[in-house]
Amino acid sequence: MTQIDRRALLCLTGGAALLGTAWSAGAAQNGAAAGADAPYPGISSELVHTCAALVNAPARAAFDFLADPQALGRWSLGALNVKPTQQAGVYTGFSMFNGSQAWLAIDAKPELLLIDYRVGTPDNLVPRIFARVVPGTVVGLREDQCYVSLTAWRTASMTAERWHQLRASHEAEILLIDAQIETLQRKR
């Protein structure tokens, strides 16, 4: 596999290939809810975004990295320099974009290699960002490889500009995740 192939991102935006994106863009530009003018209302590539990378590390190492709040503070552009708050399991960090404070909680499910990142305000953290690790052996790769994906759900109040920023951020973050996990593996 070439370096370019290995670094290629898999950006999956539900339904775009079947339904097209012209109506989604039109709805967003006109301030309508995602999918409002779609041929099938409520079905839109503007509702969810997933990016994935092939990581040269065992699945468990990738999962442990993604579940670590200190590590998250080094790759999450929306919550840099994560620190624990006084509330157990709740962390805070700061956006690289505008310096605003972000709050989050990490719900790690090791048996599924799945992580829910709950985001919002300290008293209202909702699961909206998800990480999934797929062991290499599940998809015909080596044991020391895995897929890592980030998925984000768009909120009804999210503007087209903010949604674009979040999607672009996740595509950069998946590269940071890949590089940081692989760097840790080389140090072992």
Side-chain angles (χ1 to χ4, degrees):
M1 181 175 298
T2 69
Q3 183 70 358
I4 292 172
D5 290 338
R6 198 182 74 66
R7 296 284 181 202
L9 294 179
L10 307 171
C11 294
L12 312 168
T13 51
L18 295 175
L19 301 174
T21 57
W23 51 263
S24 295
Q29 288 173 354
N30 294 325
D37 65 341
Y40 304 97
I43 300 175
S44 171
S45 63
E46 294 298 311
L47 300 176
V48 65
H49 181 263
T50 299
C51 280
L54 169 60
V55 178
N56 285 316
R60 187 56 196 220
F63 175 83
D64 290 345
F65 176 85
L66 292 163
D68 179 356
Q70 298 306 310
L72 184 139
R74 293 188 302 272
W75 62 260
S76 174
L77 301 179
L80 293 173
N81 302 314
V82 169
K83 305 282 186 228
T85 66
Q86 292 181 350
Q87 187 177 344
V90 176
Y91 301 88
T92 188
F94 295 89
S95 170
M96 177 180 244
F97 292 97
N98 61 14
S100 63
Q101 190 170 11
W103 288 271
L104 64 111
I106 300 172
D107 297 331
K109 299 168 187 71
E111 68 281 3
L112 299 174
L113 297 175
L114 177 66
I115 300 165
D116 292 350
Y117 299 102
R118 291 184 290 127
V119 297
T121 60
D123 57 336
N124 187 31
L125 296 171
V126 296
R128 212 173 43 76
I129 309 293
F130 312 94
R132 160 108 32 210
V133 179
V134 179
T137 56
V138 170
V139 291
L141 300 171
R142 300 185 319 252
E143 271 187 35
D144 64 341
Q145 295 178 308
C146 63
Y147 286 153
V148 171
S149 65
L150 288 178
T151 299
W153 291 97
R154 184 177 183 176
T155 63
S157 63
M158 193 176 285
T159 66
E161 179 182 3
R162 174 67 184 104
W163 180 237
H164 173 76
Q165 178 184 352
L166 187 144
R167 292 183 345 214
S169 294
H170 279 199
E171 292 178 26
E173 288 168 350
I174 201 75
L175 295 172
L176 291 168
I177 289 166
D178 177 24
Q180 291 178 24
I181 292 171
E182 290 184 9
T183 298
L184 287 172
Q185 285 301 115
R186 283 192 296 275
K187 290 180 178 178
R188 291 178 185 208

